[in-house]
Amino acid sequence: MESRCECNTEWLEPLLARIIEQPSTIVAPQLDIIEPDIMRYVHRPNHVVGAFAWSMQFQWLAMSEEEVRLRTFQAEPITSPTLHGAVIAANKSQLIRLGAWDSAMDAGSDDTLELSFRVWLCGGSLEMIPCSRVGHVFRNAERSLGSISLHNRARVAQRWLDGYKQIFDATVEERYYPLLVNGSSETMTKMTGCNPFHWYLQHVAVRILAPDRNSRHFGDIRHLDSLLCVDSGAERGLLGVWECHEHGGNQLFLMDQSGFIRQGDSCLTVINHELTLTTCMLNANQLWNFNEPSGQLELANTSLCLALPVNRPVLSECKIGDSAQIWQFGLTLHWSAPPLAGDVADKAHRKNILPVA
């Protein structure tokens, strides 16, 4: 348990009861929010789970409507791809069997992401227990940069991501490359019998957007003139642009070889010359061509290109060299044969930023 926690009433009993029922499961309470400035306790809804960004940072993820609907009662444990780690409970012998804490990780919060991957990949499971409530003081800005955090995140990527590590490498700013090389060049051996990372994406973190061999571009869609990124968090369900944050979420897209540009289960769709996300249905207004040399993103079988004339992306007549129509995907994926384990890219690079070997 972290020091920034305040335990609610009868928080421990539900955790212990679940460990007795399922010894191989590591459990955590629902974390409520204690606002750091005024110390006000705010109840967090039950329907969130732990996830991750490809920068190897923890993220919260709202459960889908289908996941919520399938819950039989509100006290039922919630399977979670990752745990935050402010408070966890585990059967001691099972935790030791799984390797306990990674002693090579420096002090920080990244070690629980490493533990989360290891537990799932090596035969355990993670759950959040709604009847256990613990308040947590979330700092205004958790540490996300610097040598300690990067060392930890690079170690997680090196140890567990297999070929997906290429995606992590491309999220690191160029000025941190020396730290990345030093932090990820250690030789680490996985525990015998652990699954590859693609198993985790297919069976556990099924809602995490991840590339496969059908993918061609991945990451944010950046307008090079304004340095803003396409963002799905705009009003009325339309896509807008926002300052690029490189944390995924509303700015994470995947373009496959068919021409779909996906975010979650939805596809980038043109309706009345405006952009929105709708169910992928092989419609002509959902298929795109990306011309890498010109940077133009063209609606297939038209002469219309994605443009940013002012502050909202729209379609306009394609014009080579028009700065309003020059875009860049965060990652361009290339494939080799035979494929790597998990159908992942063997090379991924951000333009003008070379990947780390």
Side-chain angles (χ1 to χ4, degrees):
M1 178 183 293
E2 291 184 359
S3 60
R4 292 177 285 136
C5 293
E6 184 72 25
C7 298
N8 215 317
T9 58
E10 298 182 350
W11 67 280
L12 183 58
E13 292 86 343
L15 300 180
L16 297 178
R18 187 57 176 165
I19 293 172
I20 292 172
E21 293 174 351
Q22 297 286 343
S24 64
T25 298
I26 293 180
V27 297
Q30 284 285 350
L31 283 185
D32 293 327
I33 300 169
I34 300 177
E35 297 179 347
D37 297 327
I38 59 176
M39 302 305 288
R40 181 174 63 178
Y41 192 103
V42 180
H43 184 86
R44 184 195 292 269
N46 286 341
H47 300 148
V48 292
V49 297
F52 69 93
W54 286 104
S55 57
M56 293 298 100
Q57 292 167 298
F58 176 88
Q59 287 185 339
W60 294 107
L61 178 67
M63 296 173 64
S64 67
E65 293 182 1
E66 179 70 7
E67 289 171 328
V68 174
R69 186 184 64 82
L70 291 175
R71 288 178 55 75
T72 55
F73 57 99
Q74 289 301 308
E76 184 179 12
I78 302 171
T79 299
S80 184
T82 68
L83 295 179
H84 180 274
V87 185
I88 67 168
N91 178 290
K92 182 178 179 180
S93 62
Q94 290 294 322
L95 184 62
I96 293 174
R97 181 187 67 81
L98 290 168
W101 297 102
D102 184 352
S103 61
M105 299 281 278
D106 292 326
S109 60
D110 313 277
D111 47 0
T112 53
L113 197 60
E114 194 278 335
L115 180 64
S116 296
F117 292 158
R118 177 154 38 93
V119 168
W120 276 115
L121 292 172
C122 302
S125 60
L126 305 175
E127 290 180 348
M128 300 176 69
I129 309 300
C131 288
S132 175
R133 317 289 308 195
V134 171
H136 183 256
V137 180
F138 289 89
R139 290 189 287 248
N140 289 329
E142 298 278 5
R143 287 184 303 170
S144 59
L145 293 175
S147 59
I148 291 179
S149 178
L150 184 57
H151 165 84
N152 290 347
R153 292 186 287 121
R155 182 173 173 85
V156 174
Q158 175 74 20
R159 191 169 194 182
W160 298 111
L161 295 198
D162 303 324
Y164 289 91
K165 178 181 175 292
Q166 307 294 334
I167 304 172
F168 165 77
D169 288 350
T171 69
V172 178
E173 294 182 36
E174 188 172 11
R175 60 186 170 134
Y176 288 112
Y177 276 5
L179 297 175
L180 179 60
V181 172
N182 293 335
S184 64
S185 60
E186 303 173 63
T187 300
M188 291 176 284
T189 304
K190 291 183 182 179
M191 300 169 65
T192 303
C194 296
N195 287 301
F197 197 71
H198 77 92
W199 177 92
Y200 173 81
L201 293 173
Q202 292 173 349
H203 298 280
V204 181
V206 295
R207 293 180 57 215
I208 298 295
L209 190 64
D212 57 21
R213 289 188 63 81
N214 190 42
S215 306
R216 289 296 173 264
H217 305 283
F218 184 71
D220 54 35
I221 304 175
R222 183 172 306 211
H223 185 247
L224 290 189
D225 190 47
S226 67
L227 297 181
L228 298 175
C229 285
V230 177
D231 195 295
S232 62
E235 72 277 6
R236 297 188 294 117
L238 300 176
L239 269 71
V241 290
W242 198 256
E243 182 178 348
C244 301
H245 53 61
E246 298 187 351
H247 294 308
N250 291 343
Q251 295 183 2
L252 185 63
F253 295 90
L254 185 154
M255 184 174 186
D256 64 26
Q257 63 185 7
S258 300
F260 284 124
I261 299 178
R262 302 175 182 269
Q263 186 174 95
D265 297 326
S266 300
C267 281
L268 189 64
T269 307
V270 176
I271 299 178
N272 297 326
H273 282 236
E274 293 188 303
L275 272 71
T276 186
L277 289 171
T278 63
T279 303
C280 303
M281 298 181 63
L282 278 177
N283 292 334
N285 61 344
Q286 294 182 329
L287 299 177
W288 300 83
N289 296 319
F290 182 53
N291 186 325
E292 288 192 65
S294 70
Q296 289 178 306
L297 196 55
E298 179 187 15
L299 187 64
N301 301 314
T302 73
S303 59
L304 300 176
C305 287
L306 185 65
L308 188 67
V310 188
N311 58 3
R312 181 181 293 281
V314 296
L315 288 187
S316 63
E317 195 73 21
C318 296
K319 297 179 182 178
I320 297 292
D322 185 349
S323 62
Q325 297 181 357
I326 301 177
W327 302 86
Q328 174 185 295
F329 276 88
L331 307 175
T332 297
L333 306 172
H334 302 277
W335 305 95
S336 63
L340 296 174
D343 285 338
V344 299
D346 65 337
K347 289 189 290 183
H349 66 274
R350 183 182 298 278
K351 288 183 176 64
N352 301 321
I353 301 180
L354 296 175
V356 175

